[in-house]
Amino acid sequence: MQPVDPIQAINLIKKNRDNFITYNVACLRELIRYLPSNKFNLFHKIPFLMNINSPNYPGYIKHPEIVYGIYGFEKSGFLEVSLKSYRLTLDQIQPYLSKQPIVLGLYLMGSAGTLAQGIHSDFDYWVVIDNASCTTNQRKRFTEKLHTIESWALNKSNQHVTFFVMDLEQIQNNVYSSLDEESSGTAQKTILKEEFYRTFILVAGKIPFWAVLPVGLSNQDYAQWIHVLTQKDPDQFINQHFIDTGNLTCIDQKECISAILWQVFKARNDPAKSFLKAALICSYYFFQDQERLPCEIIKQRYGDRELDSFLIDPYTVIFEKTLSFFEKLNDIELLELVRECILLRLCGFPLVSMPNTSTPKFNLLETYIKNWQWTSKHINYLIDYPKWFEQEKIDYERKLVLKIAFLYELVVRSHTSKTNDGQDMEHIRLLSHWISRYFQKKEAKIEGCSTYLKTKSSTLSLLISYEHNEHQRKLWSVFDHSLFNVIKQEQLLFIGKEFLVAVGWIIINKLYKKAKSILHFQPNRLNTT
């Protein structure tokens, strides 16, 4: 390990900081590109609401111990935008701004700002604080404030916003207990750290050291860099602009088993996304020694990022990783399936439609389609996903779930052969039992609907009607009545033997939203023309 020269180190960090900021701006632009006006305004207001505590604005908490605010917020640009939006002056809100900010860094992570962003992408924020700087009661009040903003965002803009409050020391040690409900955080440590570093967008606050340090540092080298930079910083530039969120050298293979199993269950919400994630985890397990982590590939290219480019996007890297994985397996069926999932993801699955021709999404998709030599018939079939029969959608989703389960078994059997751990085989038996229950058809069982229907639930117009079968018994059918006044066979969603079964199917699948959904009842005049 070579000694780190303080002057050279600080100069390198300043250069890398400029590259990171350029990249961050490009990601912000990509985020904004796909936001409708109400969510665009919401995105700009969220940091402002975290930095103010006034009864006149959402997020107000009336308590003497309330703490709030983001470090360096006034320099982020969000303050100026918010003042203009609310038609305020700085003097008017000065009494309500935080004097001692609790948040060291606010980061948006996940699909937002990437090529995989869709109209239903959540705003998932990591809110980094130092637990040592506040009391338990203060953290509790701060969390209450964030929950209030989450509820306001959902009610005001129909946007899911989630704040994950993270302690800086815990992040350094890959402890993510606050993420457990959302992403099995306690079991997936290095996997979550990689996803954070690969996708995070700095909204306000300090930049993680990882983003500006050289690629491929060992933990020992990383620690030396941090020591030199923080201890030999005469003008305090380093301490003012950066925080240490920890290093990442590799993915812990032991996490891969539970991570893929988690995707089996998450597939019920978005099977295409889960299949791609499961394939990525498999590539970690089998081939990570042969190539750099995706987050490091992205970091290497910070300085190359151009506006409207798809080449340096977190999901472009992921797509390439998953394609490469199945090519190495020489599995033609799974390779074709992952290609389909990539197209569906770029086209906004499950509300699939071709992206605008002037976007990086379209450019990447056009490149892929040309390389894959797909026929127009195959492309149009996938693009027409919203027009598929409901049963076609369900069958396709079940196929994806089975393939994720196959990938799980692939990893478990490999792990077991290395460790002679019979406990892993028990996991396979449990998974097989769950899969059999998932696919098993029983007379009293009410089946789930497709992801497409779940996503459309707030705008659905459903029609319940009946007809007599050959034994003159009524069969109750549920149709999607949103597109046509005349009932057509392709609009059929569900058939039950009892009226209450049809209603139960709607309720269990949460397809009826009070004040948003519409239910029609009439005898069935089926028109198949």
Side-chain angles (χ1 to χ4, degrees), residues 259-292:
I260 299 182
L261 182 60
W262 180 249
Q263 293 307 321
V264 174
F265 291 95
K266 292 286 283 184
R268 294 172 293 179
N269 301 322
D270 190 334
K273 177 180 178 180
S274 289
F275 179 66
L276 289 169
K277 281 196 168 187
L280 175 64
I281 295 164
C282 274
S283 73
Y284 290 153
Y285 185 86
F286 289 105
F287 300 117
Q288 75 165 317
D289 292 340
Q290 301 177 17
E291 48 199 20
R292 290 198 181 279

Side-chain angles (χ1 to χ4, degrees), residues 260 264 278 400-410 431 435:
I260 299 182
V264 174
L400 290 174
V401 172
L402 276 177
K403 296 305 181 184
I404 298 171
F406 165 76
L407 294 177
Y408 174 76
E409 292 194 21
L410 198 66
L431 176 64
I435 291 292

Side-chain angles (χ1 to χ4, degrees), residues 119-121 158 268-271 348-352 385 397 449-460 509-511 513:
I119 59 174
H120 294 284
S121 291
N158 194 31
R268 294 172 293 179
N269 301 322
D270 190 334
F349 182 86
L351 305 180
V352 177
Y385 178 83
E397 292 185 7
C449 69
S450 67
T451 303
Y452 176 81
L453 274 187
K454 292 175 185 175
T455 306
K456 279 192 62 180
S457 59
S458 61
T459 60
L460 279 176
N509 285 292
K510 300 179 181 179
L511 298 182
K513 306 287 185 181

Side-chain angles (χ1 to χ4, degrees), residues 467 479 486-489 492 523-529:
E467 61 183 342
F479 292 88
V486 178
I487 305 171
K488 297 185 178 181
Q489 186 61 38
L492 178 64
N524 185 2
R525 298 287 185 262
L526 189 61
N527 182 355
T528 58
T529 61

